[in-house]
């Protein structure tokens, strides 16, 4: 074993030891050095946030404990990855690198290319394993579903105990007290109500869903209030990898088998499994079309929304648009980092159709608020809900209609906008229309006690819906749509759960959605 390279396992969005193929492969090959790198460049990107790091830091704590059970330390080092790897090789000797593939933002894509170049230059083997149903170098989607099935049905990877290399203590690893309290990310808003990070929290969340919370998943996931309990709430744990997609799918299928004949559970679990398919479907879109993060997908729709409307953007970001369901959604995101799909879609639709905003700045703002930020799903869904893919039904979410259907008594609005709690139910979603007599009786003045609508959002939405519809009808636009459909839409293969009526409905990073 003296000439065997040290097996460096680079953890990124896979903060667990259970079902971790790179770790299992490394443990079978020799001395193992688990490594997590705090990358200053990544945390300077405009989609980064303190709430992301706080979740990661808690997850690293659990990872440290689980690695210790295998006889291994976790080295947490700050720096640029190639420089860190060079220092590791100088300290412990020749290395091989193991990691999961990552479909992240443009910064991580460029970083991975730098790492690949460094590995080639220094003759370091880099072994990358898949952890999502995403295929690199995929030209079109035929057969995609069959490979997804093969991935989730494969046996779970089980790392065996191993030993760290000699000299690992000479590395500049930060002690937990140093990295747990770090201030990182562009978004600095606190998030006191977010879900805790770590594998133990993820397992507890999943078990509570299967033990009872999830029985009304398919019924309650559309409600912004009830979805907090009925949803799986696994999205941050899948996004940061404290749970693996494969273990969740296998657990879910086992639960479906055990509860066969229980109609409510059968519908709930089937609905969740369908959403897990869509989870990977949208990550594949960014993998196949990396510029989706920065450029409007459909050529015919590029440049349609150019005016930044800074005052409208600020009102939307700060939750003071004067439209209660929109502002309540923003307040909930600031406090908890989570919303159900329907409310996420409504926020994007309102920003892009109702306020006429270009999609990119709202995308970054939501990325910083979502604890479960997953770039592949995020940017695919941003463009879809903004009506810019050209391949899906044009869907515009009217917040007044959504309030009537999803929060008819205004409970969600009252929870997050207490200034409106004293209004009668009939006016809670339209406070600007409160009659003069009731204003006087309640002492409520629209524009003073709660903002007036910042814009005629219904007229604006009609205008943009008409404009985008017309732009999609030209022969050139139709040809471009066909090309995109062939490249980015999945095709039926073997065994596939029934999908929602339209891919339009798949959610950002949360495997919890509902049929409209």
């Amino acid at each position: 074993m003296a000439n065997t390279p040290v097996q460096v396992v680079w953890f990124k969005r896979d903060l667990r030891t259970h079902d971790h193929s790179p770790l299992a492969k490394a443990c079978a090959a020799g001395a193992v050095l688990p490594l997590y790198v705090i990358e200053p460049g990544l945390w300077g990107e405009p989609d980064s946030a303190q709430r992301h790091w706080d979740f990661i830091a808690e997850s690293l704590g659990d990872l440290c404990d689980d690695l210790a059970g295998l006889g291994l330390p976790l080295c947490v080092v700050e720096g640029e990855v190639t420089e860190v790897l060079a220092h590791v090789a100088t300290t412990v000797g020749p290395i091989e690198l193991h990691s999961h593939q990552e479909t992240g933002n443009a910064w991580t894509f460029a970083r991975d290319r730098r790492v690949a170049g460094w590995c080639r230059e220094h003759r370091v083997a880099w072994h990358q394993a898949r952890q999502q149903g995403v295929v690199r170098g995929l030209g079109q989607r035929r057969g995609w579903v069959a490979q997804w099935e093969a991935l989730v049905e494969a046996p779970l990877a089980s790392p065996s105990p191993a030993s760290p290399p000699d000299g690992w203590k000479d590395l500049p690893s930060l002690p937990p007290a140093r990295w747990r309290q770090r201030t990182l990310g562009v978004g600095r808003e606190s998030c006191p109500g977010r879900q805790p990070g770590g594998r133990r929290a993820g397992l507890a969340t999943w078990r509570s869903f299967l033990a009872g919370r999830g029985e009304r998943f398919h019924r309650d996931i559309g409600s912004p209030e009830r979805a907090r309990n009925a949803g799986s709430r696994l999205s941050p744990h899948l996004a940061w990898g404290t749970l693996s997609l494969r273990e969740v799918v296998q657990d879910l299928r086992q639960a479906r088998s055990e509860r066969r004949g229980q109609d409510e559970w059968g519908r709930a679990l089937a609905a969740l499994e369908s959403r897990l398919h869509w989870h990977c479907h949208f990550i594949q879109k960014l993998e196949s079309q990396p510029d989706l993060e920065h450029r409007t997908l459909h050529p015919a729709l590029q440049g349609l929304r150019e005016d930044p409307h800074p005052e409208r953007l600020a009102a939307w970001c700060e939750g003071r648009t004067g439209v209660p369901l929109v502002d309540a959604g923003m307040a909930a995101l600031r406090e908890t980092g989570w919303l159900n799909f329907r409310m996420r879609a409504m926020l994007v639709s309102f920003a892009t159709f109702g306020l006429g905003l270009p999609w990119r700045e709202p995308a970054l703002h939501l990325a910083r608020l979502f604890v479960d930020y997953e770039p592949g799903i995020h940017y695919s869904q941003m463009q879809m809900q903004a009506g810019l893919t050209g391949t899906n039904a044009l869907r515009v979410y009217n917040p007044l209609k959504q309030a009537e259907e999803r929060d008819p008594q205004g409970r969600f609005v009252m929870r997050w906008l207490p200034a409106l709690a004293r209004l009668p139910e009939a006016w809670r979603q339209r406070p600007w229309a409160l009659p003069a007599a009731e204003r006087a009786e309640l002492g409520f003045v629209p524009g003073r006690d709660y903002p007036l609508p910042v814009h005629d959002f219904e007229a604006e939405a009609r205008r943009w819906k008409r404009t985008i519809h017309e732009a999609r009808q030209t022969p050139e636009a139709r040809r471009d749509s066909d090309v995109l459909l062939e490249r980015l839409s999945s095709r039926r293969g073997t065994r596939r759960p029934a999908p929602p009526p339209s891919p339009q409905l798949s959610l950002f990073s949360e495997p919890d959605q509902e049929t409209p």
Side-chain angles (χ1 to χ4, degrees):
M1 298 289 288
N3 296 322
T4 302
V6 171
Q7 311 298 306
V8 176
V9 180
W10 177 22
F11 288 89
K12 296 186 279 184
R13 284 178 168 259
D14 51 355
L15 305 180
R16 63 183 186 276
T17 60
H18 185 74
D19 192 32
H20 196 291
S21 299
L23 180 61
K25 183 174 182 178
C27 288
V32 177
L33 180 67
L35 177 69
Y36 184 86
V37 182
I38 300 174
E39 303 169 81
L42 177 61
W43 291 103
E45 286 294 291
D47 56 355
S48 64
Q50 181 69 44
R51 59 188 61 194
H52 301 155
W53 174 252
D54 291 341
F55 189 94
I56 290 169
E58 290 167 355
S59 301
L60 290 175
D62 277 8
L63 180 60
C64 282
D65 293 341
D66 292 340
L67 285 168
L70 295 172
L72 296 170
L74 175 64
C75 287
V76 178
V77 180
E78 182 166 357
E80 201 278 321
V81 174
T82 55
E83 295 176 1
V84 171
L85 292 175
H87 188 67
V88 168
T90 299
T91 303
V92 303
I95 64 172
E96 289 189 5
L97 184 62
H98 301 260
S99 73
H100 276 116
Q101 293 177 357
E102 180 182 7
T103 304
N105 61 14
W107 192 95
T108 65
F109 179 68
R111 174 254 278 147
D112 280 358
R113 294 185 68 176
R114 292 194 299 273
V115 171
W118 183 89
C119 287
R120 286 192 299 271
E121 180 183 352
H122 294 85
R123 298 182 180 180
V124 171
W126 184 11
H127 310 282
Q128 296 186 75
R130 295 170 61 210
Q131 71 166 342
Q132 309 280 16
V134 174
V135 181
R136 288 195 167 171
L138 188 67
Q140 47 78 29
R141 289 290 196 98
R142 290 185 176 87
W144 185 87
V145 174
Q147 67 78 28
W148 188 93
E149 283 293 334
L151 178 82
V152 300
E153 289 287 1
L156 302 181
S158 298
S160 56
S163 299
D166 294 337
W168 74 268
K169 292 183 179 180
D170 295 328
L171 293 170
S173 182
L174 299 174
R178 287 271 306 278
W179 49 256
R180 281 184 173 133
Q181 302 301 320
R182 289 298 301 272
T183 298
L184 293 171
V186 170
R188 294 293 170 84
E189 288 187 87
S190 63
C191 190
R194 68 169 172 82
Q195 292 177 246
R199 179 166 176 82
R200 287 155 186 73
L203 287 173
T205 299
W206 182 218
R207 287 166 181 161
S208 71
F209 179 87
L210 294 176
R213 276 195 309 109
E215 190 171 10
R216 290 184 56 85
F217 172 87
H218 56 303
R219 298 187 183 277
D220 290 347
I221 195 58
S223 163
E225 190 71 7
R226 296 192 301 275
R228 289 186 178 274
N229 182 66
S232 77
R233 307 303 304 275
L234 296 183
S235 55
H237 295 284
L238 291 173
W240 301 107
T242 65
L243 302 179
S244 79
L245 173 74
R246 178 161 45 212
E247 69 174 310
V248 170
V249 172
Q250 291 186 11
D251 282 353
L252 188 153
R253 289 180 172 176
Q254 178 64 31
R256 289 184 70 179
S257 175
E258 293 170 352
R259 299 174 197 195
R260 190 172 287 117
Q262 300 179 34
D263 290 346
E264 285 294 282
W265 270 112
R267 293 189 185 99
L269 295 174
L272 177 57
E273 183 170 343
S274 177
R275 279 59 173 173
L276 292 169
H277 271 268
W278 289 119
H279 171 273
C280 297
H281 164 82
F282 280 95
I283 298 175
Q284 182 71 62
K285 284 179 181 286
L286 185 62
E287 178 68 36
S288 299
Q289 193 82 31
D291 62 354
L292 193 65
E293 178 186 347
H294 295 99
R295 186 169 66 91
T296 297
L297 178 64
H298 199 289
L301 304 178
Q302 292 170 3
L304 285 184
R305 295 187 185 107
E306 292 292 328
D307 192 333
H309 295 297
E311 292 183 358
R312 296 182 197 175
L313 176 64
W316 180 82
C317 290
E318 295 165 15
R320 49 177 180 84
T321 67
V323 181
L325 194 63
V326 173
D327 295 345
M330 278 299 185
L333 272 179
R334 285 197 302 270
E335 178 80 11
T336 72
W338 185 89
L339 275 179
N340 66 329
F341 160 74
R342 179 59 66 108
M343 292 301 101
R344 298 183 188 212
M346 184 272 297
L347 287 179
V348 177
S349 181
F350 184 84
T352 55
F353 284 94
L355 298 180
L357 297 174
W359 64 270
R360 173 68 179 165
E361 286 303 318
L364 292 173
H365 182 71
L366 290 177
R368 294 189 292 266
L369 290 181
F370 292 161
V371 173
D372 57 17
Y373 169 53
E374 176 74 72
I377 305 174
H378 187 74
Y379 292 108
S380 300
Q381 275 291 341
M382 282 297 308
Q383 295 214 32
M384 183 170 287
Q385 304 302 341
L388 299 176
T389 65
T391 59
N392 299 98
L394 201 57
R395 184 180 300 280
V396 180
Y397 290 85
N398 185 319
L400 300 181
K401 182 173 183 291
Q402 293 303 310
E404 180 181 329
E405 294 179 352
R406 306 294 172 173
D407 190 33
Q409 296 174 313
R411 291 176 178 170
F412 179 74
V413 163
M414 285 193 297
R415 177 177 178 181
W416 296 107
L417 302 177
L420 300 181
R422 55 185 159 132
L423 298 191
E425 185 178 303
W427 306 108
R428 216 165 274 154
Q429 305 286 3
R430 301 170 183 259
W432 61 85
L434 184 69
E438 297 199 38
R439 294 184 189 188
E441 180 182 347
L442 295 168
F444 182 91
V445 179
R448 183 195 70 185
D449 299 308
Y450 179 71
L452 292 169
V454 70
H455 188 59
D456 185 349
F457 59 90
E458 291 182 295
E460 185 84 6
R462 286 192 295 270
R463 180 171 79 88
W464 282 113
K465 189 172 183 179
R466 182 173 59 252
T467 299
I468 291 174
H469 175 76
E470 290 171 355
R472 289 172 54 166
Q473 302 312 306
T474 68
E476 295 84 358
R478 290 179 179 272
R479 284 195 293 271
D480 287 336
S481 295
D482 290 341
V483 171
L484 289 169
L485 197 65
E486 176 68 20
R487 178 171 174 78
L488 300 177
S489 294
S490 60
R491 297 292 188 265
R492 290 187 180 274
T494 59
R495 282 178 65 213
R496 181 186 188 181
S502 163
Q504 178 81 11
L505 301 178
S506 287
L507 90 167
F508 287 53
S509 191
E510 166 66 27
D512 295 345
Q513 67 187 65
E514 85 291 348
T515 301

